[in-house]
Amino acid sequence: MIFSTTILNRVVATSLVTTSVALSPIFGAIAQAETLNGAGATFPAPLYERYAREVKKKYPDLKINYQAIGSGGGIRQVTAGTVDFGGSDAAMKDDEIAKVKNGVILVPTAGGAVSVVYNIPGVNDLKLSRSVLPAIFSGQISNWNDAKIKADNPGVNLPNQPIKFAVRADGSGTTFIFTNHLSTINGYFKGRVGANTAPKWNLPNVLKGKGNPGVAAIVSRTPGSIGYVEYAYALKNNLKSALVQNKNGEFVAPSLQSANAALSTVNFPDNYRVFVGDPTQGYPIVGLTWMMVYKKYASAAKADAIKKWINWVLKDGQQYNDDLNYTKIPSDVANRVLQTVNSTVK
């Protein structure tokens, strides 16, 4: 009986030690776990979703939630202080930055192309020149067999039917990238529509979709339609993308390579805010996307989590950009951004 009691005591003691050892890391993880909530641009949403999955492999206790609500929504949420970080493809303007109580840093995370997608059965490799594309989206050209479109596409059987337009229903950085390019190359478009996240299109046959997914869905199911979406959404939805004429007169299809060529000459100022209107080479409708982080957070733990997240995105995370057809941020620029974030965020 003495032997049995001794064995039992040892078993109980061993079990308690084992349980303690097993639970200690769990309690430690709970104590150190941090969730970061972000919202904004749909343009980089596929990339940010990948980031959120991959970062947990290095930091299991860091959870990232990102809601793709559009760039306008991202800026509003950051201004209101209701998220830990925002996302926008339209860099915040000075007056918007001034409204952020805790200060804000613009962190470039990726670049990419905006595809001009269309649904014309039987028509492939549609070409749109620098004069025709803005004329279409400013309402000067309203039928697919217009002589000017036919001149860009000799021998192509274009239908005699009205053009249906698919545009964003929400404030959108993708829209800004698109309208910024058209405003840069065409004075009439600039005066009638302008570079804007939520322009008044004043077009016939306008169909509005929420986010890049919404516009992609409209074009996919609507013969005779044309719209604009981030390149990854064009690929994902098997949409046809037009070849767009660049500054050198070349008709270029959107691709990772042509977007890289267009963004290769971009110079980043100290605030990392860049507006790419009409690049000298590559695919011409390109832009950057930013995460917006505060300079001051409510707790040191939250600030540390943000710095951990941004450091991972600009170091480890960039390897995933190519996989999803986004351009990378040049390493020298990434290092400058990290110096700013690591020394400023508190």
Side-chain angles (χ1 to χ4, degrees):
M1 187 67 180
I2 293 174
F3 175 79
S4 298
T5 302
T6 302
I7 294 296
L8 178 61
N9 289 338
R10 287 176 180 173
V11 169
V12 171
T14 301
S15 298
L16 290 173
V17 171
T18 302
T19 302
S20 177
V21 171
L23 290 177
S24 293
I26 295 175
F27 287 126
I30 291 172
Q32 297 172 9
E34 192 71 52
T35 297
L36 298 177
N37 295 310
T42 64
F43 181 101
L47 182 63
Y48 290 177
E49 289 166 6
R50 179 73 179 272
Y51 284 171
R53 293 196 304 271
E54 298 294 341
V55 73
K56 292 185 70 66
K57 295 177 182 178
K58 185 171 184 178
Y59 300 115
D61 301 325
L62 183 61
K63 182 179 180 182
I64 307 298
N65 295 324
Y66 183 76
Q67 291 186 329
I69 61 172
S71 294
I75 291 174
R76 287 193 296 274
Q77 297 271 23
V78 167
T79 304
T82 53
V83 291
D84 298 312
F85 69 94
S88 180
D89 318 316
M92 295 181 77
K93 299 175 183 177
D94 289 342
D95 61 324
E96 293 172 327
I97 290 173
K99 295 176 184 177
V100 183
K101 182 176 65 174
N102 289 326
V104 66
I105 300 170
L106 303 182
V107 177
T109 57
V114 173
S115 293
V116 180
V117 291
Y118 65 95
N119 183 342
I120 310 176
V123 175
N124 299 310
D125 301 323
L126 179 72
K127 295 179 180 177
L128 297 173
S129 64
R130 290 166 70 82
S131 60
V132 167
L133 180 59
I136 290 173
F137 278 90
S138 59
Q140 293 174 291
I141 294 176
S142 58
N143 197 291
W144 277 117
N145 72 346
D146 186 280
K148 293 179 180 178
I149 302 179
K150 292 171 72 172
D152 287 343
N153 300 272
V156 176
N157 185 24
L158 292 162
N160 180 16
Q161 67 180 77
I163 297 172
K164 298 175 183 177
F165 299 90
V167 301
R168 291 285 287 270
D170 52 329
S172 158
T174 305
T175 300
F176 178 82
I177 293 170
F178 183 65
T179 57
N180 183 49
H181 172 66
L182 297 189
S183 293
T184 301
I185 66 173
N186 186 275
Y188 183 84
F189 183 93
K190 182 177 181 179
R192 184 176 175 84
V193 182
N196 206 314
T197 57
K200 294 181 179 178
W201 288 105
N202 296 317
L203 295 168
N205 305 312
V206 171
L207 303 168
K208 295 184 176 182
K210 187 174 182 181
N212 278 286
V215 173
I218 290 172
V219 174
S220 180
R221 66 173 182 258
T222 310
S225 63
I226 188 171
Y228 55 89
V229 296
E230 196 276 322
Y231 176 53
Y233 290 88
L235 291 180
K236 182 178 180 181
N237 291 277
N238 296 312
L239 297 174
K240 297 175 183 177
S241 294
L243 283 74
V244 178
Q245 191 178 35
N246 68 11
K247 200 169 191 175
N248 291 328
E250 303 163 328
F251 285 93
V252 185
S255 69
L256 178 60
Q257 182 180 6
S258 61
N260 270 318
L263 292 170
S264 63
T265 58
V266 168
N267 293 316
F268 288 81
D270 290 342
N271 64 2
Y272 313 113
R273 184 171 58 184
V274 174
F275 302 103
V276 186
D278 189 23
T280 57
Q281 58 188 11
Y283 182 76
I285 314 176
V286 292
L288 294 158
T289 193
W290 291 263
M291 286 186 188
M292 301 167 287
V293 302
Y294 301 110
K295 294 181 178 179
K296 184 178 180 180
Y297 284 86
S299 70
K302 186 72 75 174
D304 288 344
I306 280 289
K307 285 190 276 191
K308 183 184 293 185
W309 167 232
I310 297 301
N311 274 263
W312 183 90
V313 166
L314 291 182
K315 291 179 181 177
D316 302 37
Q318 292 295 297
Q319 66 183 296
Y320 303 107
N321 289 30
D322 284 357
D323 293 351
L324 295 170
N325 291 291
Y326 294 87
T327 66
K328 297 177 181 177
I329 300 302
S331 58
D332 61 324
V333 177
N335 289 333
R336 284 170 51 201
V337 175
L338 290 178
Q339 288 177 0
T340 301
V341 169
N342 292 334
S343 63
T344 307
V345 173
K346 305 293 183 186

